[in-house]
Amino acid sequence: MSHTLQSFARDTWVTPAQGLVDIPSAIDGRVVARASSAGLDFAALVRHAREVGGPALRAMSFHQRADRLKALGAYLTERKEQLYALAADTGANRRDNAIDIDGGLVTLAAFASRGRRELPDSNFITEGEVEALSKRGSFVGQHILTPLHGVAVHINAFNFPCWGLLEKLAPALLAGVPVIAKPATATAYVAEALVKLIDESKLLPPGALQLVCGGLGDLLDHLNGQDLIAFTGSLETSEKLRAHPNVARHAIRFIAERDSLNAAILGPDITPADPEFDLFVREIVREMTAKAGQKCTAIRRVLVPRAQQAAVIDALKAKLAEVKLGDPRSNDKAMGPLVSRGQRDAVRAAIATLQSEAEIVFGDPETAAGEGIDAQVGAYMAPVLLRAREPMAAKHVHATEAFGPVATVLAYDDVGQAIELVRRGEGSLVASLFTYEDAVAEQMILGLAPFHGRLLIVDRDDAAESTGHGTPLPALLHGGPGRAGGGEELGGLRSVVHYMQRTAIQASPRRLAKLTGTWTRGAPAAATAVHPFKLNYNELQIGQSIETESRPITLDDIEHFAHFTGDTFYAHMDEAAAKANPFFPGRVAHGYLILAFAAGLFVDPAPGPLLANYGLDNLRFLKPVSPDDTIKVKLTVKQKSAARRPEYGEVRWDVEVVNQNNEPVARYDLLTMSARPAA
């Protein structure tokens, strides 16, 4: 019995009654699900996201949203086998589905961790340093990032129904923006199951996530300038969506990840005797066969030195001959079918186009055989390797993506020609280079970086731990210029910023400090009668400050510190040599002596709520300290943030060390942990 997919609209599961489209199994063609979005009120979905989901998410801090993502990841991990069972019908074996299912869960956890570690416990972000805008310091500026008051529409591709949904969902929810997800129909039954698990968890607030199974309907007509569209799919569909009149009229943010003629390049220094040669061959075969080549990051163009072309082709043919087709439900080591017979037909058509410029050297797109499979009902296709006859004259090789187990070998004569050939792809998600020659790597990186979102350099030193050509990582950019869509996903918190508005705030230091919760110079700094190290986290207030007594710095201090630490650098020990240095008036105190004496001036020695000093940030030595100068310290509570453990909080202190003329000689941020009694 096939399953009629439901959409999750306004926190209710809706079953369509008309317009149903059959979704066949990639394995044997049987209908596994039916989908339609007929009857959905798309205007109401958008209103629900804006009026219910958005306010609920924005009422939470980044830390609270990160905690929800973490809990959601744990909930889904316990139930992921349900997704594996369904995903077999997409044609992927268990190892392939691990990329999608476990990869999505890892990405969710990564954003939860970054949200806790790198974002404040508030609902907006300050970006960059405070900019001085006036002579006397009474007028300053700073950028802040606030969540968009709209909805993120996520249109996902068929090849990753779980990872594609989660890698977009995590940064949007972390930013505080609700999502309407529209999975590709061919694998929507897996995405529906994932969203049903998310709904069952009750970890997301109402309106935070809605799901559309079926067509987009008139959804785009109801968006405005506070909304965002994130799309993964073909260049042609991307162009249609981006050109939608309402999208253009409201300048709706559009993030696209689309066709990409990714390349792998064997350096001219590598021969079959080098380890990089085998690594190169292994990576190409893996990328041709993982998920039957249906990955946006898969290798489509294989660039090799002309002298090594025959050796590379022979090695690839030998490895590809070992690849077996099989039912992914019963053979985890076999390559499964493409997602549908329609997709197989599209790949065959693309191969026919490529054959006008290239010859097939391995495989036959019209035949497929393997144990336990029926190629007439399943969407099976064996790997196909082509060789470009005249790479420099070829055009289709650089413009036609066969989205399946297909790659084309192109021979090059020198590094410059290799760079030119790769660039003809007009922008790609990723290229990988296999070389052990530094000069080759540098020339390739500088020549290819403007045309790629990611470059992977593989050699004998990093191969054992390399995550591979085709693996996007949460911490690094996923996207590319030109043909690849110009979008940027993942990349740590960069993707969170896509869902936020950058605004320049101009105000007085007092007003800015009040808004941001971060003390800045020029803002009031109230002297406290009690040493702030005696105050617990809850008692400390932003702007509380003490100014210490002065301490003279003597020549004996400098010499003792030098001999005690072993730092006998000439600027501290040799008057004539120090004076010859344009930066020093003569012998000067060590910078770290200044820090040590500063700590001695402001530290309260008695046990108290201050638990530990865990670092210094932004340290700058501003003016030399000479023998017989005096120093004193102004210590101000700059910022407070909740820690992961409830018994303490993290406090950032502004430390300014000045000399007898009140001239700053050092500035830095001191980081401490202070006890936090239960409220």
Side-chain angles (χ1 to χ4, degrees), residues 281-358:
V281 170
R282 187 188 316 156
E283 193 72 11
I284 292 163
V285 172
R286 178 168 66 177
E287 288 303 311
M288 287 181 67
T289 57
K291 290 190 74 71
Q294 298 169 113
K295 292 169 58 183
C296 54
T297 52
I299 295 169
R300 307 300 178 193
R301 297 177 294 161
V302 180
L303 278 82
V304 300
R306 192 171 299 279
Q308 305 302 335
Q309 179 177 227
V312 168
I313 289 175
D314 287 345
L316 287 172
K317 289 167 65 175
K319 286 291 184 184
L320 289 171
E322 298 173 1
V323 175
K324 306 299 182 186
L325 301 185
D327 187 329
R329 296 170 299 187
S330 58
N331 189 344
D332 187 40
K333 295 181 180 180
M335 188 179 86
L338 276 70
V339 73
S340 67
R341 293 195 297 270
Q343 178 62 22
R344 183 180 62 185
D345 292 343
V347 173
R348 286 172 172 171
I351 293 172
T353 300
L354 294 174
Q355 283 182 279
S356 65
E357 301 171 344

Side-chain angles (χ1 to χ4, degrees), residues 99-310:
I99 303 170
D100 182 35
I101 297 168
D102 283 281
L105 296 174
V106 167
T107 301
L108 191 65
F111 276 96
S113 177
R114 281 183 173 269
R116 259 297 191 168
R117 189 174 67 249
E118 300 177 29
L119 291 176
D121 191 24
S122 66
N123 50 21
F124 71 95
I125 303 170
T126 57
E127 184 182 59
E129 297 299 318
V130 174
E131 299 285 345
L133 303 175
S134 62
K135 289 183 178 180
R136 295 193 300 273
S138 64
F139 186 53
V140 295
Q142 188 169 37
H143 291 95
I144 67 168
L145 298 167
T146 53
L148 293 173
H149 283 221
V151 59
V153 175
H154 292 168
I155 304 170
N156 295 316
F158 68 77
N159 51 341
F160 289 105
C162 291
W163 178 85
L165 191 148
L166 292 174
E167 66 94 9
K168 290 183 176 71
L169 179 70
L173 295 185
L174 187 56
V177 177
V179 169
I180 297 175
K182 192 280 180 202
T185 301
T187 54
Y189 51 93
V190 182
E192 183 217 39
L194 173 63
V195 174
K196 284 194 170 181
L197 289 175
I198 293 173
D199 176 42
E200 289 168 8
S201 76
K202 302 305 177 187
L203 288 166
L204 299 184
L209 173 60
Q210 298 178 83
L211 177 74
V212 174
C213 289
L216 272 178
D218 64 351
L219 176 60
L220 302 189
D221 291 331
H222 305 291
L223 304 183
N224 63 35
Q226 284 293 304
D227 302 317
L228 180 147
I229 299 169
F231 168 81
T232 300
S234 71
L235 186 151
E236 292 76 17
T237 303
S238 169
E239 287 178 332
K240 291 178 183 177
L241 295 174
R242 198 189 292 268
H244 188 284
N246 194 52
V247 173
R249 182 181 306 115
H250 289 100
I252 295 170
R253 299 186 189 194
F254 194 96
I255 301 169
E257 188 257 282
R258 58 190 197 188
D259 293 4
S260 182
L261 281 301
N262 309 300
I265 309 121
L266 185 68
D269 56 307
I270 302 303
T271 71
D274 296 306
E276 288 76 14
F277 186 93
D278 291 336
L279 294 170
F280 178 73
V281 170
R282 187 188 316 156
E283 193 72 11
I284 292 163
V285 172
R286 178 168 66 177
E287 288 303 311
M288 287 181 67
T289 57
K291 290 190 74 71
Q294 298 169 113
K295 292 169 58 183
C296 54
T297 52
I299 295 169
R300 307 300 178 193
R301 297 177 294 161
V302 180
L303 278 82
V304 300
R306 192 171 299 279
Q308 305 302 335
Q309 179 177 227

